[in-house]
Each structure stands twice: as structure tokens, then as C-alpha cells.
């Protein structure tokens, strides 16, 4: 008597409750075995290479390295079958449909989860590595332009999830492992690096003036010379920031004249 090998599963999601939800649902599926979990993209990529699972539940939106960065890091040719997990990403959902790659839209129920498992097992059993590789490479390529810029940030605070439009942001401040978005009298923390946030912003609207500060150019009222080649940047709301010498050229390029 022969038995069908269990499908080895890795869960990559930065939210502990999301990982627990998937792990709990898999406990009722004897054909699947959870071989590991990762709470961020970097660890997820390392775990895929080390554990070589058959199937990965991969969160799309994670701070730092997101789901597509994981594919980039591992390489499409080394990726197992993927079920993407996402709270909402209209670009990603459309691309998943086009390339016939399965996804779970949070929150999902047991019935939808079992559909994903059935599709994954069927595709794993009949597909060759080249097919998965081509589809993953195509989806990463398709989504690169959409990921390059964003017109809003997702903020999670006090049990709420809401969007902040980039055009409404006055300035952005580094805050440890987070950045703080200053919007009028409000401020919102999001778990991102300054470099990652800067890469998502339109250079026509925002400019980095300091290692710790990015400003909305439309909110700059005036500049005043300070010491050692630095300037004080006054925003329309009265906020004072520092333009450091290392970032002066960036602002000069934006305003089109020498400072």
C-alpha cells in the first residue's frame, strides 16, 4: 500500500493572527504539513531556500521586503507553488487573475481556503517547474511599475485600517523602525523604512531634505540659510525642518535653481 506524500507548507506573513489562522485551518487537513513560519520577507526567503516547501502562503504586503521581494530574492526558478495572501491590492488581484495564480483575500473563510488548497495540490501534481517559474516571473514583472509609486498608504491604528492619500501628507519623519506621516494636525505611524517610503513617492511631489525628513514640496513656505551650508525649511503650517548639505542638491533639482 502506498500513501500520497503530504504537501509541505511554509507560511510567510508579518501578522501573527494571520499565520495562526492559516496554521489552524491546516491542522484539519491531513494532506498538508506546516514545516515552518516566517514573520517577514527576509526570513521568508531564507526559509524557502532552506526548507524547500511544496507550497507557500505568501503575504503580499509586508513591511520591508514584501511578497514580490521574496520572489525576487529566492528567484522564480526556485520558488515553490505560491498562494498569495493579501488584505487588498487592486493591482495585484488583477495580475493574479491574468496569470492564473491563486490568492486569498483577507478575511477568507474555510470554504475559500479549502478551494485554494485543492487548486494548489492539483497544480503541484501536474505542473512542471518551468510553468510556475514563467508565471511568477511574469507577475513580478507586471507589478513592478505599480509598486514603484503609490498614491496612498495603508495605516493600521487602534483596530482601524484606513488610507492616507500621499497628496495630503505635509511631511514624513523617521521614527525608529517606523515612519511618521504628518497630515495636518494628525500623524500616523506606519512600519516602513524611509528609503522604502521615499521610493514609493512621486519625486514631483516629495523631496528628501534630511536623513530623517521628507517634505511635500507644495507645503514648503520658505528656506533660510543656517550654518555650515544647511538651511531651515519652513512649512506652511509653521513646522521647521533642516535641509542638510547632503540633500541640498536634490532640492535644487526640484526647484530648478541653485540654493
Amino acid at each position: 500500500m502506498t500513501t500520497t506524500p503530504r504537501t509541505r507548507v511554509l507560511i510567510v506573513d508579518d501578522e501573527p493572527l494571520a499565520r495562526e489562522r492559516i496554521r489552524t485551518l491546516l491542522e484539519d487537513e491531513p494532506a498538508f504539513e506546516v514545516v515552518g513560519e516566517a514573520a517577514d520577507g527576509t526570513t521568508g526567503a531564507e526559509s524557502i531556500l532552506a526548507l524547500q516547501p511544496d507550497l507557500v502562503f505568501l503575504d503580499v504586503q509586508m513591511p520591508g521586503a514584501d511578497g514580490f521581494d521574496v520572489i525576487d530574492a529566492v528567484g522564480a526558478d526556485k520558488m515553490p507553488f505560491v498562494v498569495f495572501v493579501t488584505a487588498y491590492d487592486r493591482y495585484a488581484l488583477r495580475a493574479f487573475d491574468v496569470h492564473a495564480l491563486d490568492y486569498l483575500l483577507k478575511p477568507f473563510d474555510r470554504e475559500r481556503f479549502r478551494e485554494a488548497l485543492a487548486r494548489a495540490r492539483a497544480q503541484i501534481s501536474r505542473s512542471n517547474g518551468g510553468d510556475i517559474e514563467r508565471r511568477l516571473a511574469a507577475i513580478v514583472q507586471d507589478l513592478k511599475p505599480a509598486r514603484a509609486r503609490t498614491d496612498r498608504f495603508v495605516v493600521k491604528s487602534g483596530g482601524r485600517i484606513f488610507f492616507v492619500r500621499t497628496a495630503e501628507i505635509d511631511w514624513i519623519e523617521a521614527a525608529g523602525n517606523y515612519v511618521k506621516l504628518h497630515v495636518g494636525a494628525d500623524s500616523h505611524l506606519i512600519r516602513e523604512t524611509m528609503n522604502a517610503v521615499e521610493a514609493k513617492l512621486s519625486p514631483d511631489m516629495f523631496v528628501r531634505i534630511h536623513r530623517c525628513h521628507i517634505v511635500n514640496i507644495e507645503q514648503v513656505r520658505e528656506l533660510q540659510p543656517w550654518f555650515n551650508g544647511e538651511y531651515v525649511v519652513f512649512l506652511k503650517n509653521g513646522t521647521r525642518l533642516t535641509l542638510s548639505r547632503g540633500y541640498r542638491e536634490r532640492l535644487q533639482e526640484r526647484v530648478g535653481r541653485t540654493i
Side-chain angles (χ1 to χ4, degrees), residues 41-42 54 70 97 105 107 111 120 125 135 140 165 174 190 250:
T42 302
D54 304 306
V70 171
D97 287 334
L105 182 62
E111 181 179 359
S125 64
R135 283 191 280 166
V140 170
R165 292 180 57 79
I190 61 172
R250 297 190 187 194

Side-chain angles (χ1 to χ4, degrees), residues 11 13-24 37-39:
I11 305 168
D13 197 311
D14 66 304
E15 298 178 11
L17 289 177
R19 296 198 304 275
E20 181 182 358
R21 169 71 171 159
I22 294 174
R23 185 175 64 249
T24 301
E37 297 182 19

Side-chain angles (χ1 to χ4, degrees), residues 182-251:
H182 293 272
V183 185
D186 299 323
S187 62
H188 310 287
L189 281 173
I190 61 172
R191 194 177 170 192
E192 290 268 19
T193 65
M194 286 292 279
N195 287 340
V197 167
E198 184 181 16
K200 294 177 181 178
L201 295 169
S202 168
D204 296 329
M205 187 180 299
F206 289 89
V207 62
R208 193 162 181 172
I209 61 170
H210 189 277
R211 181 173 56 85
C212 299
H213 300 145
I214 297 172
V215 295
N216 185 332
I217 297 172
E218 290 298 319
Q219 297 303 317
V220 176
R221 189 188 72 206
E222 66 176 284
L223 306 176
Q224 289 186 8
W226 196 237
F227 298 105
N228 299 319
E230 295 186 338
Y231 280 73
V232 178
V233 179
F234 291 90
L235 303 190
K236 293 176 181 176
N237 64 7
T239 299
R240 293 174 52 145
L241 302 172
T242 299
L243 168 63
S244 65
R245 287 189 303 169
Y247 291 90
R248 197 169 63 189
E249 286 189 6
R250 297 190 187 194
L251 187 57

